[in-house]
Structure formats: C-alpha cells, structure tokens
Amino acid sequence: MSNVKEIKTTCGLDCPDACGIVANDGQIKADREHPTSNGALCALLNKYMFEEPRIKTAKINGKEVSLDEALNATKEALDTDSKLLWRGSGNFGVMQEITNLLFEKIEGTTTKGTLCDGSGDAGIVEGRGVNRILPPEQIAKAEVVVVWGKNITATASHLMPYLKDKQIIVIDPVKTAIAKKADLFVQITPRSDFFVAIMLARFALMGNFEDLEYLEEHAPDYDEYYDFSQEFRIRPILDHIGTDLKEMGKILEMIKDKKTVFLVGNGVQKYSTGGQVLQAIDSLAVILGKFGKEGCGVGFLGNSKLNFKNPFEVKTTKVEKVNTAFGEFETVLIQGGNPVASMPNSSRVIEELKKTNTIIYYGVYENETSAMADIVIPAKNFFEKRDVRLSYAHHTVNPMRKIEESNYGISEYDFTNT
Ligand code: SF4
C-alpha cells in the first residue's frame, strides 16, 4: 500500500458487520469508534484478500491484451439484442450497481433476487410486511439471546461482545463454538427448524407463556395459529426434531418475562420451504411478545436498502438470479461474482454458460467462472476507488474511501462510462 495519512474507510466484503477501518501509512486496522468493528478485523480482510492473486491484465480468449482492446471487444459483444448482466455481491459497495444504468441504456436484461437470503426475506416480508434490521444496540439490551442456526463466532464475530453476560440458548444441528458455551444447547435434526418454531409456539400457548396483552393488540386472531399448530402431532414431531417436552419447556422458561432476541442464521432458510421457517420463528416471537419492544426482536439479514433511494434501480427486464438460464443469452457479463461456484447445481450452470456466444468476466480475482470467460476485464478492489456501503445488520451508512492507487483494473464507474 502507498503511504497515506489516516483515512477512515469501510470493509466492502459481503458481510453483515461492514467494519470500519482506519488506514494509516499503508497499514489497516479496525476503527474502534465503529459500532461493529470493536477493535479487530477478520482474517478475510487482514490476510486472504491480499494473498489471493489479482487479475492484473485484460484477456481475450486467454491471451493478454490491453484494457482498451478488451473494452472494445466488450462493446462489440454487447451490441446484440440478447445480453445479460449477472452481478455477484463480493463487493457490497452501492457503486457496484452503476452497471445497471449501462444495461438499462442498451436494453439488456438484469437479475433479481439473491443467492443468499431471498427465501428467508420473502417469509419475513410475507409476515411483517417489511424486513427490518435488528441493530446491535437492541441486541445489547436483551437479557436472553437465542442463537438459531447461526455460527456466530465465525460469521458475525463482531456481535460477540454484545452477547456478553447474557443467557444464551443455541438451537442448531451442529455443536458450534457458541453452542459449547451456551446456557442451553438444543441439538436438532437438520431441516427441522420449522417444526421447532411451531412446537414452541404451541407449547407457549398451551402453557401460558404467551404475551396476551401484546397479542390482543397486535395479533388478535392468534388462536387461529394455535389451531394451525395442532395439525402437527406432538410425539412424532418431537422425535423428528430430536428433542423432548422437557427441553422445549426449558427454552420457554428461560425466555419467559425476559427481553429476548432471536439471531437467525442463513442456513435455516436454504430449502424450498425456507420462507416458512422465518415466518414460523417470527410467529413464535410474536406469541411470546418479543417484537417491537426494547431488547427484543428477530434478527435475520435485514433489508440494507430499506428507505434508501437507490440511484441504480432500473426498469430493465429481469430474470431470477438463483436459476438464471444463461444459455438464453448471446452475451453474458458477469461482474464480481462466481456463478459456477456459488449458484446451485454447478454442472447446470457450466452447461448453460457453454451455450452463450460470449462470456465477459469483470472482476478482481480469477475463479471458476473467469476460467470460462472469452473476455476478462480486471476490476479495482474497494481500497482503490470511492464508494459507500450499507449493512444488513446495522444502520450505519459507511463511506468507502480510496486509500491506495493501483495501476491496473477499472472502476465500475469508468467501465460504465467507457
Ligand atoms: S468481519 Fe466482515 S466486515 Fe469485518 S473485516 Fe471481516 S469481512 Fe470485513
């Protein structure tokens, strides 16, 4: 890194923490004033991001070419009626989306949805109407934290200080690091999260654990949910989950009359019924009256763009990101992503990509998808350009300042304007 005086910036990696960074004389360290960085950056940023070899030179059909040659070839390849922009989320900066404007202008197709949290988000929106963030300051006020299918020490390590001195309940098929320290660990059968939530709601209503005042005000038809929960037979469902009445009762006893947050991981919704899992966990929290109160709530990946006026929202034709049929397009521009590795069914994705005429890969690192590309354009990383990012776990709007120059790569802004 070049010698620069102290500059505050933000980690751009697709991670809920969106850590603040202080760059000083070529060194980076965590911004202690940032709500989630609290003194340390993770190994992804400290180590792996710099160890991974960068794409430094543009290529056409595997041969190194000048950036201008590759950009001209890109322009020609996009001069077709059938072109798709498929963007990954390796860099979470808002400016990454400026390429939407290009595709709107040239009447191309873009994608909708995500590979990550779309199912859970849909379930939450179905129930609550909106998927709000549960910010760390509310987690800090909780007395009990239910960590549900979330390997928090690995995937949201900066939340750990907020869990200090609280009662911890972990519901997870895997005995994670946090499960080993928990006051109660309920090890469940994989994919049984929905049934756990339904059974807990049912037992809460049977055992007077519900918050009647809250229900009368916010969900007066809650008895219909009790009827629904009765469709599930207790004994076989508990056997399927791998738990018993005593353990279920213990969870409810620990939560009763306590400010409680539920921190829900991504894995619980990675099935075709994933939306229902989040809806069932939300419903449980409603029955227990753990919504809309200080120190309470259900935290999943919130909508980072809620109330954000996105200048890159465009009215293009859109296809689903999760199962994109690449083969239906002549030219596919893949920006900052690796669909071959990150989309479901890699073999199908490879076959689909083979059907296209031209694959343009625009990114920072080589990967399985760049290896298939006809044209490769090197991008700048988030330390080499200006941007701003939002978070799906806290409300801070985070500036991403340029902290170093690089002689290679092109920013999305320049790419779009070229
Ligand atoms: S925890 Fe997340 S936001 Fe923080 S440095 Fe690591 S990847 Fe970046």
Side-chain angles (χ1 to χ4, degrees):
M1 281 182 206
S2 60
N3 281 353
V4 285
K5 283 297 160 198
E6 198 161 283
I7 300 174
K8 285 199 172 194
T9 186
T10 308
C11 175
L13 297 176
D14 180 7
C15 166
D17 293 347
C19 292
I21 297 169
V22 178
N24 193 339
D25 273 349
Q27 300 295 317
I28 55 167
K29 61 180 184 187
D31 179 357
R32 289 183 177 275
E33 289 168 14
H34 191 271
T36 52
S37 312
N38 44 53
L41 302 171
C42 77
L44 268 181
L45 189 68
N46 270 333
K47 186 169 182 295
Y48 300 118
M49 189 174 140
F50 297 103
E51 286 182 355
E52 201 64 29
R54 290 277 299 268
I55 300 176
K56 296 188 175 174
T57 316
K59 285 183 222 157
I60 297 178
N61 296 327
K63 283 201 188 113
E64 293 192 355
V65 296
S66 71
L67 185 58
D68 281 348
E69 281 176 271
L71 289 172
N72 283 334
T74 297
K75 217 181 271 182
E76 274 174 33
L78 290 175
D79 188 14
T80 165
D81 289 340
S82 171
K83 59 238 167 198
L84 170 74
L85 168 64
W86 194 102
R87 184 174 43 248
S89 51
N91 178 343
F92 217 67
V94 172
M95 282 298 283
Q96 297 297 294
E97 296 181 23
I98 194 172
T99 45
N100 287 354
L101 301 185
L102 169 67
F103 268 66
E104 184 178 51
K105 191 162 183 189
I106 63 177
E107 297 179 358
T109 300
T110 58
T111 61
K112 60 183 174 185
T114 77
L115 298 184
C116 193
D117 58 326
S119 186
D121 177 75
I124 287 173
V125 171
E126 180 81 17
R128 298 186 214 169
V130 67
N131 181 8
R132 287 190 201 285
I133 288 164
L134 179 69
E137 53 269 28
Q138 290 304 326
I139 300 170
K141 289 174 187 161
E143 296 164 281
V144 179
V145 178
V146 181
V147 181
W148 197 319
K150 191 175 178 85
N151 188 4
I152 203 164
T153 45
T155 61
S157 56
H158 290 108
L159 280 183
M160 289 305 288
Y162 293 93
L163 271 51
K164 202 164 169 267
D165 301 329
K166 300 186 191 317
Q167 290 265 292
I168 306 288
I169 301 170
V170 173
I171 300 172
D172 205 306
V174 179
K175 193 165 188 179
T176 55
I178 186 80
K180 288 177 191 156
K181 292 190 213 158
D183 297 283
L184 176 64
F185 170 45
V186 180
Q187 190 159 27
I188 61 170
T189 304
R191 300 184 67 154
S192 66
D193 308 82
F194 172 79
F195 298 113
V196 176
I198 294 282
M199 283 295 122
L200 283 171
R202 180 166 173 182
F203 296 143
L205 289 162
M206 285 165 70
N208 300 325
F209 290 94
E210 77 274 40
D211 183 335
L212 273 178
E213 199 181 321
Y214 183 87
L215 287 172
E216 293 295 350
E217 187 179 346
H218 298 286
D221 297 330
Y222 66 90
D223 50 340
E224 288 179 16
Y225 195 74
Y226 181 62
D227 292 344
F228 168 66
S229 74
Q230 283 188 306
E231 289 176 19
F232 301 89
R233 290 173 56 216
I234 292 175
R235 177 53 50 208
I237 294 289
L238 290 184
D239 287 347
H240 171 65
I241 294 169
T243 186
D244 55 27
L245 281 170
K246 198 172 156 203
E247 206 168 37
M248 293 267 110
K250 198 160 180 203
I251 296 174
L252 294 171
E253 287 290 352
M254 284 176 73
I255 291 173
K256 190 175 166 63
D257 299 328
K258 295 273 171 49
K259 292 179 186 173
T260 303
V261 292
F262 296 79
L263 304 181
V264 185
N266 235 357
V268 307
Q269 49 94 61
K270 294 233 168 180
Y271 339 117
S272 55
T273 54
Q276 291 166 17
V277 176
L278 264 295
Q279 244 184 322
I281 294 173
D282 267 6
S283 303
L284 170 65
V286 167
I287 285 162
L288 298 168
K290 308 298 182 192
F291 259 120
K293 297 176 186 169
E294 199 162 75
C296 293
V298 177
F300 181 59
L301 279 66
N303 180 354
S304 61
K305 292 211 179 81
L306 198 64
N307 299 327
F308 175 73
K309 203 169 165 204
N310 187 1
F312 307 130
E313 194 58 58
V314 288
K315 290 193 175 77
T316 50
T317 304
K318 293 186 172 70
V319 294
E320 290 290 345
K321 181 172 273 177
V322 72
N323 56 4
T324 311
F326 293 104
E328 291 175 5
F329 298 89
E330 280 183 33
T331 297
V332 174
L333 169 60
I334 292 164
Q335 178 196 343
N338 184 7
V340 171
S342 57
M343 276 175 75
N345 196 346
S346 294
S347 308
R348 184 197 72 84
V349 176
I350 290 169
E351 288 313 308
E352 282 289 329
L353 284 169
K354 280 182 184 166
K355 290 186 214 160
T356 64
N357 275 357
T358 309
I359 302 168
I360 305 160
Y361 177 82
Y362 173 35
V364 176
Y365 303 110
E366 294 284 7
N367 57 36
E368 292 85 347
T369 306
S370 71
M372 293 184 69
D374 303 283
I375 304 170
V376 174
I377 312 261
K380 292 204 180 291
N381 75 22
F382 55 80
F383 286 135
E384 299 161 352
K385 59 195 173 194
R386 289 190 305 152
D387 207 331
V388 63
R389 74 160 288 177
L390 309 161
S391 163
Y392 39 90
H394 56 78
H395 289 132
T396 316
V397 177
N398 308 269
M400 296 168 71
R401 298 191 175 91
K402 185 173 172 178
I403 64 166
E404 63 184 359
E405 296 288 347
S406 76
N407 296 326
Y408 42 84
I410 180 169
S411 73
E412 291 68 25
Y413 180 83
D414 289 333
F415 177 85
T416 299
N417 279 320
T418 299

